[in-house]
Structure formats: structure tokens, C-alpha cells
Amino acid sequence: MTISPRRVYSQLRKIDQVDSMTSALYRELAQDVLATPGVSLAMKQAIAERLNQANRRLGLQTVGGEDSY
């Protein structure tokens, strides 16, 4: 599936509002964009930052005080 980097960037904004399957798809698409040579460095950095933020939020939601991530 080919999807524009801008669309992936936009989808990552609402990653917390979708079910886990859709969230996983958004993350996979983001990884694909990050691995695509023709995508600008600025867009890759923006996507990587948004993906990193989403991953941190996920870690905070799923890991309790005594758990490790």
C-alpha cells in the first residue's frame, strides 16, 4: 500500500483515538515512510518525532508503577 508521508503524519496525530489494530497499522506505515529514500529529511524527522511521542504515551498507558516496559 502506498500512502503519502503527509497522510501518515496526519494519522499519527490521532493514533490515541483509534483501536489497537489501526494504531498498529499507523505505526507500520510510519516505519515504511521512515525507510523510504525519496521522502525528505524534514518530513522523516516530523514523522519520527510524532511516532516517538505516540510510543511514549503508549508506554505510560500500558506500564504500571511496578512494571517495566
Side-chain angles (χ1 to χ4, degrees):
M1 172 193 314
T2 302
I3 189 166
S4 78
R6 288 190 184 278
R7 176 98 186 248
V8 170
Y9 181 74
S10 177
Q11 289 174 331
L12 288 174
R13 181 181 309 161
K14 55 187 174 189
I15 199 166
D16 295 338
Q17 302 167 9
V18 297
D19 60 64
S20 60
M21 293 288 288
T22 304
S23 174
L25 175 62
Y26 289 175
R27 291 170 197 282
E28 183 178 349
L29 291 171
Q31 292 294 335
D32 289 347
V33 169
L34 294 175
T36 302
V39 177
S40 73
L41 179 58
M43 181 55 73
K44 285 183 178 184
Q45 288 173 327
I47 289 172
E49 178 60 28
R50 197 164 269 182
L51 182 59
N52 187 36
Q53 290 171 1
N55 287 340
R56 277 189 265 138
R57 285 191 305 270
L58 178 64
L60 292 174
Q61 289 175 357
T62 56
V63 176
E66 300 295 320
D67 297 331
S68 63
Y69 179 66

